[in-house]
Amino acid sequence: MRVVSGSRKGTPLKSLPGNLTRPTSDKVKESIFNMIGPYFDGGIAVELFGGSGSLSIESLSRGVDEAYIFEKNPKACSIIRENIEKCRFTDQVHVIRNDARNAVRAMPADIQIDLLFIDPPYAESKFYDLADAFAEAGMLSDGAIIICEHDKQLTLPDAYHDYQKTKNPIYGNSAISIYMK
């Protein structure tokens, strides 16, 4: 696993050994960013279920200003911090060791999120509703994009709040659902 493009292109990233996390493959990551970017002029990314932090790191490498990564596993948080240091993004990333269900309450109240990544363990389909929680809290910018990675067998709703599903490609056993206003 590596940073696919941008200022830190080619930097190798670590992930937690074993099957506790499921890192997004480089191919899927590249496809996601080709659909939503591929590059950005600032903004804020939030990654729920951080794992290795690779989606936030990729966002920063492609021009996002700041990222918040939620991960409750302390070992995964250590890996995320290592990856952030290796990529020299320590001043731009907030690693929050907390359950993603608490993310709305844990975020600064006046934040406007531009990219919201939701990639929970595949068996936990209830976590995708966190998109509604962020929208209802008024934390998503008008141009925000919600990116959900999920099992291809799982069908997510056509909308979360005012954000409509615009794309739903499948890559092997994974699917990506992209939502925009």
Side-chain angles (χ1 to χ4, degrees), residues 47-69:
E47 183 176 1
L48 305 180
F49 311 95
S52 65
S54 73
L55 293 170
S56 291
I57 291 168
E58 188 73 34
S59 299
L60 292 161
S61 181
R62 292 170 181 254
V64 167
D65 291 325
E66 189 177 11
Y68 292 80
I69 304 173

Side-chain angles (χ1 to χ4, degrees), residues 84-103:
I84 291 165
E85 287 174 22
K86 184 186 285 185
C87 293
R88 300 177 318 278
F89 285 135
T90 52
D91 294 341
Q92 296 165 270
V93 181
H94 311 275
V95 179
I96 302 161
R97 188 173 159 232
N98 203 333
D99 192 297
R101 290 174 287 198
N102 301 322

Side-chain angles (χ1 to χ4, degrees), residues 20 29-30 37 50 54 59 62 83 87 125 140 143 154 157:
L20 289 176
K29 191 167 37 176
E30 185 171 17
S54 73
S59 299
R62 292 170 181 254
N83 287 335
C87 293
S125 61
L140 300 177
L154 178 65

Side-chain angles (χ1 to χ4, degrees), residues 13-171:
L13 301 174
K14 290 176 67 175
S15 65
L16 201 59
N19 59 2
L20 289 176
T21 61
R22 181 188 30 77
T24 301
S25 73
D26 288 349
K27 176 186 173 190
V28 172
K29 191 167 37 176
E30 185 171 17
S31 296
I32 288 170
F33 283 92
N34 284 339
M35 287 184 282
I36 67 169
Y39 298 99
F40 307 97
D41 187 20
I44 296 174
V46 172
E47 183 176 1
L48 305 180
F49 311 95
S52 65
S54 73
L55 293 170
S56 291
I57 291 168
E58 188 73 34
S59 299
L60 292 161
S61 181
R62 292 170 181 254
V64 167
D65 291 325
E66 189 177 11
Y68 292 80
I69 304 173
F70 285 84
E71 176 57 61
K72 69 179 182 180
N73 182 317
K75 290 179 182 173
C77 285
S78 294
I79 296 283
I80 293 167
R81 285 188 182 92
E82 281 182 50
N83 287 335
I84 291 165
E85 287 174 22
K86 184 186 285 185
C87 293
R88 300 177 318 278
F89 285 135
T90 52
D91 294 341
Q92 296 165 270
V93 181
H94 311 275
V95 179
I96 302 161
R97 188 173 159 232
N98 203 333
D99 192 297
R101 290 174 287 198
N102 301 322
V104 170
R105 289 188 303 273
M107 294 293 296
D110 61 345
I111 197 158
Q112 287 293 285
I113 299 163
D114 300 291
L115 300 174
L116 177 61
F117 295 100
I118 305 176
D119 185 10
Y122 277 0
E124 302 291 341
S125 61
K126 64 183 179 252
F127 291 123
Y128 295 101
D129 291 340
L130 290 169
D132 275 329
F134 276 92
E136 288 169 12
M139 294 179 156
L140 300 177
S141 70
D142 281 339
I145 304 170
I146 301 167
I147 304 98
C148 300
E149 186 174 349
H150 54 93
D151 187 274
K152 71 178 182 180
Q153 303 297 327
L154 178 65
T155 302
L156 294 183
D158 290 333
Y160 287 112
H161 210 262
D162 294 336
Y163 295 82
Q164 302 293 316
K165 189 187 301 182
T166 59
K167 295 182 179 156
N168 187 222
I170 295 173
Y171 304 95

